[in-house]
Amino acid sequence: GTGILSSQPEENPHWWNANMVFIPYCSSDVWSGASSKSEKNEYAFMGALIIQEVIKELVGKGLSTAKVLLLAGSSAGGTGVLLNVDRVAEQLEEMGYQGIQVRGLADSGWFLDNKQYRRTDCIDTITCAPTEAIRRGIRYWNGIVPERCKLQFKEGEEWNCFFGYKIYPTLRCPVFVVQWLFDEAQLTVDNVHLTGQPVQEGQWLYIQNLGRELRNTLKDVTASFAPACLSHEIITRNHWTDIQVKGTSLPRALHCWDRSLHESNKNGKAPLKGCPIHLIDSCPWPHCNPSCPTIRDQFTGQEMNVIQFLMHMGFDVQKMAQQQGLEPSKLLGMLSSGS
């Protein structure tokens, strides 16, 4: 595998020699379903049950002697981590394995139930507003949400638990949240399409506001890594070591998180000095972080540098630099470092 699934120390410095199990996403239910195929239901949605069965099977393959189980996932899998991490911990406890620490790593699954840029009728998964899609899905999949989250909402409102900032405060297990501030999947469901023609001012303001809203939802998340980039998914990409927030890469932040959990288990100390785990970009627009992955024009497939991208977004870097009496690259550097 690549990224966190790689067995090469250069690509996966912290977990290259861990025991890894990859569960393919074949259930289309954000890992929440418990609905078997019947005469009424043509399809089975059994994501929540698949995870439980895999855990049962792994106990006989060495999981019973593990110290830590890290449940990780990207996109729908990231949301699936939030929905299942406590249930996996409870399952192992019930099976008599209280000694295994269960943790979560949720990548690109922290969605907002925000207002779409342009409202559209819900005719398919792409046009459906985030809340409406989950509302319908949860009925269709017979979706299971954790009991502690369910109790926060009225009956029929369980869909709220699919949104990270609402379920996170109810979780018992430690979870590390990785989220691009400008997530492409979020922008797609919000009907902001960045193809072909330059972005209108309304869209540009909407995108910046999205970054602000997302940053706000992460302020109380103890362990987080949120670069100001336009992208989707990161932990299984081979460039995941290159992205930095405030000078710290994601594998390094995960290593710090791992150590801090290890230390706090020992003696309840404060966070480790010089080992940050709450890393959120403060600069205000997509790709203002110079370590962001390369952008491709979705229309032509051409790679763009940051200046080309911002000009495509209707942001005149040259003009702004001129007004400030700076080189464009200097201006970008200053904005990127948040000064």
Side-chain angles (χ1 to χ4, degrees), residues 66-67 80 87 115 123 129 150 152-153 175 189 205 210 216 231 241 259 268 330 334 339:
K67 290 190 175 70
R87 290 183 59 240
K115 235 173 119 180
I123 47 177
K150 200 176 173 175
Q152 309 281 316
F153 300 100
V175 174
V189 294
L205 294 172
L210 173 73
N216 273 339
S231 196
T241 51
R259 277 182 54 201
K330 179 96 196 291
M334 284 171 65
S339 55

Side-chain angles (χ1 to χ4, degrees), residues 35 48 59 89 120 133 146 198 249 257 268:
S35 129
V59 163
T120 43
S249 71
W257 176 57

Side-chain angles (χ1 to χ4, degrees), residues 25 27 34 75 81 89 100 122-123 165 197 207 246 283 300:
Y25 183 42
S27 58
S75 196
V81 166
I100 305 172
C122 184
I123 47 177
Y165 74 99
Q197 53 305 104
I207 290 166
K246 301 187 166 74
C283 66
T300 62

Side-chain angles (χ1 to χ4, degrees), residues 82-337:
L82 299 168
L83 290 169
N84 286 281
V85 67
D86 279 0
R87 290 183 59 240
V88 166
E90 281 154 27
Q91 181 187 354
L92 286 168
E93 271 168 35
E94 280 162 22
M95 292 171 80
Y97 300 109
Q98 286 88 349
I100 305 172
Q101 291 173 47
V102 179
R103 303 172 187 168
L105 170 58
D107 166 28
S108 305
W110 187 273
F111 292 102
L112 297 184
D113 51 344
N114 58 347
K115 235 173 119 180
Q116 290 172 296
Y117 173 62
R118 249 194 226 96
R119 210 197 139 276
T120 43
D121 289 326
C122 184
I123 47 177
D124 56 30
T125 47
I126 299 295
T127 55
C128 215
T131 44
E132 185 54 29
I134 294 296
R135 256 198 192 106
R136 293 183 185 199
I138 203 168
R139 294 198 296 267
Y140 198 47
W141 311 318
N142 188 22
I144 299 177
V145 301
E147 208 50 44
R148 280 164 63 94
C149 184
K150 200 176 173 175
L151 294 172
Q152 309 281 316
F153 300 100
K154 294 203 299 277
E155 201 178 328
E157 302 285 303
E158 293 85 357
W159 59 267
N160 282 286
C161 296
F162 282 70
F163 293 94
Y165 74 99
K166 291 179 175 177
I167 188 172
Y168 178 85
T170 71
L171 296 177
R172 286 194 165 121
C173 292
V175 174
F176 192 108
V177 176
V178 181
Q179 187 66 35
W180 302 108
L181 289 180
F182 306 95
D183 186 286
E184 287 174 321
Q186 177 81 52
L187 287 166
T188 301
V189 294
D190 287 338
N191 289 319
V192 175
H193 300 290
L194 305 173
T195 45
Q197 53 305 104
V199 171
Q200 269 90 44
E201 190 181 4
Q203 279 182 312
W204 178 233
L205 294 172
Y206 181 92
I207 290 166
Q208 286 178 289
N209 189 51
L210 173 73
R212 271 196 299 275
E213 281 185 28
L214 205 109
R215 194 182 290 117
N216 273 339
T217 65
L218 291 170
K219 63 177 189 299
D220 297 325
V221 175
T222 319
S224 47
F225 186 86
C229 309
L230 177 74
S231 196
H232 184 60
E233 302 190 349
I234 177 173
I235 60 173
T236 55
R237 307 271 193 237
N238 52 14
H239 63 250
W240 80 307
T241 51
D242 301 338
I243 320 297
Q244 297 195 347
V245 174
K246 301 187 166 74
T248 300
S249 71
L250 177 53
R252 164 111 177 107
L254 287 168
H255 179 51
C256 287
W257 176 57
D258 205 23
R259 277 182 54 201
S260 71
L261 292 171
H262 189 66
E263 294 291 323
S264 66
N265 270 357
K266 283 205 299 218
N267 51 17
K269 267 201 333 224
L272 302 166
K273 283 195 172 60
C275 209
I277 57 172
H278 181 79
L279 293 155
I280 298 171
D281 262 337
S282 51
C283 66
W285 28 267
H287 275 62
C288 53
N289 173 333
S291 71
C292 285
T294 315
I295 315 160
R296 288 184 182 280
D297 185 312
Q298 295 169 320
F299 210 56
T300 62
Q302 292 288 141
E303 288 194 355
M304 292 193 265
N305 64 29
V306 176
I307 294 182
Q308 287 167 328
F309 168 70
L310 287 167
M311 288 173 87
H312 167 74
M313 297 285 280
F315 184 100
D316 194 337
V317 184
Q318 312 281 7
K319 192 169 151 195
M320 195 168 164
Q322 219 173 359
Q323 286 169 352
Q324 307 287 330
L326 295 167
E327 283 294 306
S329 56
K330 179 96 196 291
L331 170 69
L332 285 171
M334 284 171 65
L335 288 166
S336 305
S337 64

Side-chain angles (χ1 to χ4, degrees), residues 29 31-36 44-49 87 140-144:
D29 56 8
W31 297 101
S32 73
S35 129
S36 50
F45 297 98
M46 305 183 89
L49 307 180
R87 290 183 59 240
Y140 198 47
W141 311 318
N142 188 22
I144 299 177

